Amino acid sequence: MKDGCKKYIPFEPIKLENRKWPSNRITKPPVWCSVDLRDGNQALVDPMNLDEKTELFELLCKIGVKEIEVGFPSASETEYEFLRTLIKKELIPDDVTIQVLVQAREHLIRKTFEAIDGAKNVILHFYNSTSALQRKVVFKTDMQGVVDIAVNGAKLVKELGDELQARTGVNIRYEYSPESFMGTEPDNAIWICSEVMKVIGATPENKLILNLPSTVENTTPNCFADLIEYFCENLENRESAIISLHPHNDRGTAVATAELGMLAGAERIEGTLFGNGERTGNVDIITLAMNMYTQAIDPGLNFEHINEVKDVYERTTKMHVGVRHPYAGDLVFTAFSGSHQDAINKGEEYMANSHADMWEVPYLPIDPADVGREYEPVIRINSQSGKGGAAFIMHNSFGFILPKAMHPEFGKAVKKYCDSVGREISADEVMELFRREYIDRKGPFTLISHKFYEESELNDTSPKVRFEGMIRHNEDEPVPVTGKGNGPIDAFFNAMAKVGISGYKFVNYSEHAVSIGSDAKAVSYIQLRDPKGKTFFGVGMSHNINYASIRGVLCAINRSLTSEH
Ligand code: KIV
Ligand code: ZN
């Protein structure tokens, strides 16, 4: 392995002085062209059938893609049939241009023109390979040889295009790709593209799309950007061309390549949903578009329902979107770590309380709702989760607003449980734990019955509350207890003294209503300090707020009596 790398030839960067692209900014979206149905399809284990292609085509239209490469009709019968079906069944919206790919070879070009007959808007995309390597090992020709192939192809394309235009009124435009552009000497790429531009008769009103593919990604995005800037600066008649990119992802940097390429002057991007395409795929137009979106640039594509896009994509291509795929993966809006959960929680609180217009939530680069995702799965619980995570679930999923001081206590119980089961736990399991720990907390003391009375003594302006009830200790017979106080909690405390409970100090109290289905109940949170100085929370729930409070007190007492001090 050590010396194995010596057999590779490093990419030779061009010498570009005073490059401008590093100080440029992306301020508007490119023209998007989907190559899902061609590059994406040709890379599938099982290429799509007619129905699957049609469904994906309709999805692309719905997303807002206006240029869609629908296939390579001269290369396969299915591709040919698909195109004919789209045209005959009038499935192509008027504002969508279909694009067809063809090698710069006579019989293939002729067949392609048969396939597009009857379409309203067409981009005829022709290509030949131009790199030094392809010239050497595949075509065994020099640069003049590949220029001739391109020029002859362009002549035929133009001739047949003019004929078709005159006969059917088709709105036809042309695209030329020097395939393997990345391995083509920059001046040779400019030479061949200029020759094609001349033949096509490109003008500022009728531009030729020059698609510069990184057919095999072979260098860092900055070197690619240098090439694009150089190409744009040195192409004569630049204003008569639309510079398009078609980044593949061999080095895993197709998105960066596209972004830096746009900084360097590219105006159009060919890519696919979720980056499907040959080998490691094409550039992912969802990531590119959403990256722009996070920079306050409307990308002109609609991913409001990203799960739907994912479903159609996975069904039609039989590919799988990874859980960490930007913007769309199952886990990308999920925080497991406690500090992340706390920060997200605080960010959302800040957004709600300040009625902020701008999105400022740590760890969430976008509002999940913008792509039709929910907040609910944002916080998930495992043993790495902190105190805030469980409280967030209790609030967001079940409506329980745990007092801040209670978060560490409940968080500890959740962490202990996660450690014991050794996995992530669901929101329902968090609720179940809460019930077990607080609401349904068993013994040693159980309240069997209770009643409150208000008592006013003569000349007493502040009436007293009297508690009467039956209390059982473990399995003993229930005993009657009574107590008087300034309020229900006080009265209950005094009654508990009758069964030997004393020395507890009241620390904190909060309450709110919580809806359980169509029912509403009061929930109260009581914090007590036990005689040994340790604090415990108790939670009580009832239709009656007084009863909810004393259940909370009893819960806190029971928890203190059964805890390991
Ligand atoms: O990757 C590539 O170079 C291509 C061309 C045909 C544009 O797909
Ligand atoms: Zn490609």
Side-chain angles (χ1 to χ4, degrees):
M1 184 71 193
K2 195 160 77 64
D3 285 332
C5 64
K6 298 284 187 298
K7 67 172 177 274
Y8 297 107
I9 307 163
F11 181 83
E12 192 57 51
I14 51 163
K15 293 184 180 44
L16 187 69
E17 272 160 26
N18 306 322
R19 55 179 65 74
K20 299 191 192 72
W21 65 262
S23 350
N24 290 345
R25 293 189 66 177
I26 296 173
T27 54
K28 61 177 186 343
V31 173
W32 300 104
C33 172
S34 148
V35 293
D36 291 80
L37 293 156
R38 198 277 299 169
D39 213 317
N41 185 58
Q42 79 188 44
L44 294 176
V45 178
D46 294 313
M48 286 175 270
N49 63 29
L50 215 82
D51 288 345
E52 288 162 343
K53 281 190 164 186
T54 310
E55 187 178 359
L56 194 55
F57 178 78
E58 283 169 350
L59 175 74
L60 291 164
C61 293
K62 205 161 141 195
I63 288 168
V65 186
K66 299 293 178 209
E67 296 183 2
I68 304 177
E69 191 163 88
V70 289
F72 203 148
S74 63
S76 105
E77 255 332 285
T78 327
E79 309 253 309
Y80 188 92
E81 273 319 306
F82 173 58
L83 180 50
R84 294 312 304 156
T85 309
L86 287 181
I87 297 170
K88 282 195 197 137
K89 292 198 172 163
E90 300 188 356
L91 296 175
I92 309 164
D94 282 349
D95 63 346
V96 169
T97 299
I98 51 158
Q99 176 167 312
V100 283
L101 180 72
V102 62
Q103 278 178 15
R105 291 167 67 187
E106 182 177 347
H107 69 291
L108 300 178
I109 293 173
R110 289 193 187 279
K111 173 113 191 192
T112 305
F113 270 92
E114 280 168 31
I116 59 171
D117 202 329
K120 286 190 188 131
N121 302 302
V122 178
I123 295 172
L124 198 304
H125 177 188
F126 62 105
Y127 77 95
N128 65 320
S129 204
T130 56
S131 69
L133 179 63
Q134 295 253 6
R135 292 186 326 248
K136 183 169 79 176
V137 305
V138 183
F139 301 105
K140 305 197 179 357
T141 184
D142 57 10
M143 192 60 205
Q144 184 63 59
V146 294
V147 171
D148 291 345
I149 296 172
V151 165
N152 290 337
K155 281 183 184 156
L156 185 60
V157 159
K158 178 77 170 101
E159 181 192 319
L160 297 180
D162 285 350
E163 256 174 42
L164 187 71
Q165 215 264 321
R167 186 164 54 79
T168 67
V170 61
N171 170 20
I172 189 162
R173 292 185 285 141
Y174 305 100
E175 171 172 337
Y176 171 69
S177 292
E179 203 235 36
S180 58
F181 163 78
M182 288 298 294
T184 308
E185 305 81 345
D187 290 325
N188 279 341
I190 292 171
W191 173 23
I192 198 164
C193 289
S194 307
E195 294 304 317
V196 172
M197 279 177 86
K198 283 183 214 151
V199 177
I200 294 291
T203 62
E205 295 71 43
N206 225 338
K207 298 180 201 253
L208 173 68
I209 301 168
L210 287 177
N211 187 46
L212 307 178
S214 43
T215 303
V216 178
E217 188 174 55
N218 62 352
T219 186
T220 49
N222 61 314
C223 291
F224 181 79
D226 278 356
L227 277 181
I228 300 302
E229 186 166 311
Y230 181 85
F231 186 96
C232 290
E233 295 229 316
N234 292 285
L235 180 75
E236 258 179 55
N237 207 1
R238 162 72 181 91
E239 61 293 350
S240 300
I242 294 171
I243 303 302
S244 173
L245 306 180
H246 175 109
H248 277 274
N249 195 36
D250 298 83
R251 296 166 57 93
T253 53
V255 168
T257 292
E259 289 177 331
L260 268 49
M262 282 190 276
L263 293 179
E267 302 142 304
R268 182 179 186 270
I269 296 289
E270 292 192 350
T272 55
L273 299 176
F274 304 106
N276 186 33
E278 287 283 12
R279 307 178 308 281
T280 49
N282 284 91
V283 67
D284 171 20
I285 57 174
I286 301 180
T287 304
L288 258 186
M290 292 309 298
N291 283 358
M292 281 176 211
Y293 187 85
T294 67
Q295 302 307 302
I297 299 163
D298 176 1
L301 297 180
N302 182 350
F303 293 111
E304 265 171 35
H305 304 288
I306 210 155
N307 284 346
E308 197 187 300
V309 175
K310 189 165 82 172
D311 284 352
V312 175
Y313 167 79
E314 290 190 331
R315 195 173 53 253
T316 53
T317 62
K318 294 163 204 80
M319 297 290 286
H320 179 70
V321 175
V323 294
R324 303 220 183 271
H325 195 102
Y327 305 105
D330 284 349
L331 289 183
V332 299
F333 300 119
T334 300
F336 286 108
S337 115
S339 62
H340 290 209
Q341 293 178 348
D342 271 350
I344 291 173
N345 214 346
K346 285 180 180 135
E348 287 183 346
E349 263 170 39
Y350 161 78
M351 296 285 297
N353 296 341
S354 64
H355 306 288
D357 286 332
M358 308 312 278
W359 180 253
E360 288 185 295
V361 178
Y363 300 110
L364 287 180
I366 64 159
D367 180 351
D370 288 356
V371 285
R373 304 274 305 259
E374 289 168 19
Y375 290 123
E376 204 184 305
V378 167
I379 303 277
R380 290 169 55 172
I381 302 296
N382 65 14
S383 59
Q384 301 303 304
S385 311
K387 48 191 170 31
F392 182 92
I393 293 278
M394 289 306 296
H395 187 184
N396 269 43
S397 303
F398 305 106
F400 286 79
I401 307 167
L402 275 53
K404 263 247 148 16
M406 190 178 170
H407 292 192
E409 187 187 283
F410 183 51
K412 211 163 123 194
V414 170
K415 187 171 164 39
K416 195 168 157 201
Y417 180 76
C418 286
D419 280 335
S420 73
V421 293
R423 58 170 168 81
E424 179 197 357
I425 64 170
S426 67
D428 285 344
E429 282 176 287
V430 175
M431 181 66 214
E432 188 45 41
L433 257 168
F434 186 73
R435 278 194 179 286
R436 235 186 299 152
E437 188 69 30
Y438 297 102
I439 300 174
D440 298 336
R441 180 80 185 202
K442 297 274 175 299
F445 286 102
T446 315
L447 188 60
I448 306 293
S449 66
H450 71 283
K451 246 189 176 106
F452 287 104
Y453 300 93
E454 269 198 11
E455 289 189 344
S456 291
E457 286 165 15
L458 275 180
N459 304 329
D460 190 353
T461 46
S462 54
K464 295 264 184 252
V465 172
R466 188 157 59 88
F467 172 84
E468 269 183 33
M470 299 288 284
I471 299 268
R472 182 167 60 209
H473 182 245
N474 290 331
E475 301 305 316
D476 300 349
E477 278 301 307
V479 293
V481 288
T482 57
K484 223 188 248 186
N486 294 327
I489 295 178
D490 195 25
F492 179 66
F493 254 126
N494 291 335
M496 287 300 286
K498 309 276 166 30
V499 283
I501 295 299
S502 59
Y504 281 83
K505 294 265 170 329
F506 190 81
V507 181
N508 221 325
Y509 170 85
S510 68
E511 67 180 49
H512 63 81
V514 66
S515 307
I516 296 148
S518 56
D519 202 14
K521 284 188 174 176
V523 51
S524 57
Y525 307 87
I526 310 283
Q527 190 183 18
L528 299 183
R529 177 164 290 111
D530 75 3
K532 291 182 180 142
K534 205 166 164 194
T535 58
F536 289 89
F537 270 91
V539 181
M541 215 162 90
S542 168
H543 288 112
N544 177 309
I545 181 63
N546 288 340
Y547 189 42
S549 304
I550 57 169
R551 287 192 77 162
V553 171
L554 197 61
C555 167
I557 292 171
N558 281 334
R559 293 187 70 245
S560 98
L561 293 175
T562 48
S563 96
E564 296 146 8
H565 276 78

